[in-house]
Amino acid sequence: MTRRSLPAQLWYALLWCVCWSVSQVLFRFRFTGRDHVPKTGPVLLAANHQSHLDPVLIGIACPRPTGALARRELFFWPLGWLIRSLGAVPIDRGRGAALSGFKATLKSLREGQTMLVFPEGTRTHDGQLQPFHSGFCALARRSGATIVPVAIVGAFAALPRGRAFPRPRPITLAFAPPITPEQYDGYTDAQFTDLVAYRVAEGLKQSPSLLERG
């Protein structure tokens, strides 16, 4: 497993504190189920996709540093240095992008890292959960990663498509029980995808109740 250097760990911790503080002020951000994320080994977080806020908020909630794919166009100074230091993996758009993204994510998982994917493929247009694609199944099988479904609620209201700046809205997140390689080994890709989608949908129903605890 690739280990982060001490300066990288300290930088990640500093940015986490800043992002967490902002999330509390703007979004009253609440999350639950962190104990469902394995402490070691490859982990693939499979989340619904409501807005551009999702990767940051999921990174705040996850007990482990989390990597995700990002368009190569975002890797300009100083943003590129910032998001790369947080574990973002650059991916080219257009032809061959899906394959290069798959290889980059698989490499990180095989190094024992935690990676984030959005099985819907793109941000929701209306805030509703969209059908899941099965591409993550191959990533899980070839890396032996544990899948942790993630449900995020409220990010669409805070920053929907077409809006440049977020507005204060409550956001909650729930990590669902993990699905281990031993559990999904006997599933077809369709069954595997349906199970992850079901657990995310269940998390969407339960997540808003977190605000009542805050």
Side-chain angles (χ1 to χ4, degrees), residues 85-161:
S85 69
L86 291 174
V89 177
I91 178 176
D92 294 309
R93 302 183 72 177
R95 193 171 184 179
L99 181 58
S100 63
F102 180 93
K103 289 181 177 179
T105 304
L106 182 61
K107 179 177 182 295
S108 295
L109 289 171
R110 285 176 169 171
E111 292 174 348
Q113 299 182 34
T114 301
M115 294 296 291
L116 169 64
V117 295
F118 297 105
E120 291 168 289
T122 187
R123 287 171 294 149
T124 177
H125 288 271
D126 57 7
Q128 301 301 309
L129 188 65
Q130 307 301 307
F132 276 24
H133 302 287
S134 61
F136 69 88
C137 298
L139 283 170
R141 297 186 197 281
R142 294 181 62 174
S143 65
T146 294
I147 295 283
V148 178
V150 183
I152 187 166
V153 176
F156 178 79
L159 188 64
R161 281 176 174 267

Side-chain angles (χ1 to χ4, degrees), residues 197-211:
Y198 171 78
R199 292 196 177 178
V200 170
E202 287 298 297
L204 294 177
K205 297 176 184 177
Q206 300 168 11
S207 189
S209 65
L210 292 176
L211 292 176

Side-chain angles (χ1 to χ4, degrees), residues 1-115:
M1 175 178 176
T2 300
R3 294 184 178 274
R4 290 170 176 255
S5 64
L6 179 58
Q9 293 179 48
L10 294 174
W11 175 245
Y12 190 96
L14 174 62
L15 290 181
W16 185 95
C17 291
V18 172
C19 292
W20 182 85
S21 299
V22 172
S23 76
Q24 299 307 299
V25 173
L26 283 182
F27 311 123
R28 293 173 53 205
F29 186 44
R30 300 289 183 272
F31 46 86
T32 188
R34 282 163 54 98
D35 56 316
H36 290 316
V37 180
K39 292 182 173 62
T40 60
V43 174
L44 192 60
L45 304 177
N48 62 309
H49 202 2
Q50 293 202 334
S51 84
H52 285 313
L53 296 170
D54 299 342
V56 175
L57 294 174
I58 293 170
I60 292 171
C62 186
R64 296 172 54 175
T66 302
L69 299 182
R71 299 194 307 272
R72 189 172 293 276
E73 297 95 298
L74 296 176
F75 286 77
F76 58 85
W77 176 262
L79 181 60
W81 171 75
L82 174 62
I83 61 178
R84 192 186 294 273
S85 69
L86 291 174
V89 177
I91 178 176
D92 294 309
R93 302 183 72 177
R95 193 171 184 179
L99 181 58
S100 63
F102 180 93
K103 289 181 177 179
T105 304
L106 182 61
K107 179 177 182 295
S108 295
L109 289 171
R110 285 176 169 171
E111 292 174 348
Q113 299 182 34
T114 301
M115 294 296 291

